[in-house]
Amino acid sequence: MPAEERYARPLDLPVGRLLRDTDEPIRGGTMLWVFTDPHRGHEFAYNRWYERDHYYGGCMIGAENFAGSRWVAPRAHKDARFPDPTPMPFGRRDGSYACLYWILADRPEHWLDWGTPQVHALYAADRGFAGRPHYHTATYRLDWRAHRDPDPVPLELALDHRYPGMVALVVDPAPGADPAARDAWFDERLPDWLPGSPVATVSSWSLIPLLDTKPAFVPVDPAADRRLQVHFLATDPLDVWERYRTLADDLAASGAGTVAIAMPFVPTVVGTDRYVDDLW
C-alpha cells in the first residue's frame, strides 16, 4: 500500500484488542532493559555520566537501536512497589533507574554482537562507572502488545512520545499452571481494563539470554519463564496505583499467574539533575 494511503486513515482496530504483530516498515521486536542504582553519594555523577556518555556510547549509536528513554523511581515510587517481599533477585526498593531501548525486530543477535564488545571497550577506555550495581539488565523479545485506542501511538513511537509514566510488571506463571494461561488471562482482561484508563499501551516481553562474554557485573535472572510487561501511561502511575493492585490481585485469584514485582516510574528530565536528590 502506498504511504499516501497507509497513513491517511486511522487503523481499523477495535478498542483494547491485543496486537500480536504489526506490518509497519519500522518494526520493533527487541528491547534492552537496564535497571540500576548509583551507589549512595554518587547520584549526581552517575546521572550525568549515563545521560551524557553511556546512553549514547553504550547503546544509541549501535546498529538497529532506533529509540531509547530513561525512567526514574523517586522515593515515593519505590515505596509504592509491591509485593513485599518480592521473589525477584533484588530487593523491593532496589533500582532507581530503568532504561529502555528499542531494537529492530529479528536482529537481537546482531545487536548483542555489537553491544557486548562495545561495553568492554568503553570500560577499557575508562568510560565506565564502577559506582553502580546492576540489578536486572537483559534483552527481551516482544511477545505481544495491547493498545487502549483504536488509532494508537504505535509501540515503536512510545519512547519518543514522552509519556508521563511507565509501569514495569514482572509476571510469573502460577505454580503448576500452563505458562500460556498467563497470556490468555491478559488477552481476556485487557479489553475491559484499558478503555477509559490512562494506560495507553501494554507490551509483554520474554527474556533473550545475554552472551556468555557479557561483563561479569551484569547478573542473570534464573527465572526464564518470567515475562516483563511495560505499560505506558498518560499520567504519573501513582495517580492510578490502586488499578494495578487490583489487577495483580485478580491475576493471582485466577490461578494463571502472579505479579513478582510492580514498579512505577516517571521520565527523567534530560539535561537536568532532577530527582537525583530524591532517590532514597
Side-chain angles (χ1 to χ4, degrees):
M1 179 186 297
E4 291 84 355
E5 297 180 21
R6 178 194 293 272
Y7 299 115
R9 55 185 174 78
L11 301 176
D12 185 17
L13 301 174
V15 173
R17 175 184 169 188
L18 294 191
L19 303 178
R20 301 194 180 272
D21 203 354
T22 179
D23 63 355
E24 296 290 354
I26 302 300
R27 183 162 60 92
T30 307
M31 172 178 64
L32 174 66
W33 167 270
V34 182
F35 184 54
T36 64
D37 259 332
H39 288 168
R40 297 199 184 206
H42 296 270
E43 296 89 348
F44 284 86
Y46 172 79
N47 181 59
R48 293 185 175 199
W49 164 78
Y50 199 98
E51 77 169 18
R52 299 184 187 193
D53 185 2
H54 200 64
Y55 177 83
Y56 296 100
C59 297
M60 291 298 293
I61 66 171
E64 285 90 39
N65 194 154
F66 67 92
S69 63
R70 296 184 68 215
W71 303 81
V72 61
R75 182 187 309 111
H77 293 71
K78 291 193 186 79
D79 289 345
R81 293 174 179 172
F82 67 85
D84 185 18
T86 170
M88 297 297 292
F90 52 82
R92 181 179 66 90
R93 300 188 82 259
D94 288 338
S96 299
Y97 290 97
C99 302
L100 284 69
Y101 301 92
W102 288 169
I103 303 166
L104 291 176
D106 304 324
R107 298 306 299 272
E109 295 82 5
H110 184 268
W111 192 87
L112 284 172
D113 286 343
W114 170 83
T116 304
Q118 176 73 357
V119 170
H120 286 295
L122 290 173
Y123 271 78
D126 198 26
R127 288 175 61 187
F129 195 94
R132 58 168 179 160
H134 274 255
Y135 296 116
H136 185 74
T137 296
T139 48
Y140 283 84
R141 179 175 287 106
L142 178 64
D143 294 322
W144 52 259
R145 64 182 75 193
H147 296 297
R148 177 194 59 198
D149 302 322
D151 185 20
V153 174
L155 184 63
E156 286 76 10
L157 303 186
L159 302 186
D160 292 316
H161 188 67
R162 307 304 180 196
Y163 283 101
M166 185 269 287
V167 171
L169 288 186
V170 179
V171 184
D172 287 344
D178 182 350
R182 172 183 46 192
D183 286 344
W185 186 85
F186 282 99
D187 203 7
E188 181 177 349
R189 180 62 187 277
L190 288 179
D192 293 329
W193 189 77
L194 287 172
S197 80
V199 185
T201 299
V202 177
S203 56
S204 179
W205 306 78
S206 55
L207 186 69
I208 301 172
L210 295 174
L211 300 182
D212 292 340
T213 53
K214 69 175 181 61
F217 57 77
V218 178
V220 175
D221 186 346
D225 283 339
R226 286 195 164 126
R227 296 294 180 264
L228 173 59
Q229 288 189 8
V230 178
H231 297 217
F232 293 108
L233 288 74
T235 188
D236 186 321
L238 296 189
D239 295 341
V240 291
W241 200 231
E242 283 305 312
R243 288 181 60 86
Y244 281 93
R245 290 188 176 276
T246 300
L247 185 72
D249 290 344
D250 291 347
L251 174 62
S254 75
T258 58
V259 171
I261 195 165
M263 301 185 291
F265 294 89
V266 291
T268 63
V269 182
V270 177
T272 77
D273 294 312
R274 187 174 179 184
Y275 301 116
V276 297
D277 58 353
D278 189 27
L279 300 181
W280 321 116

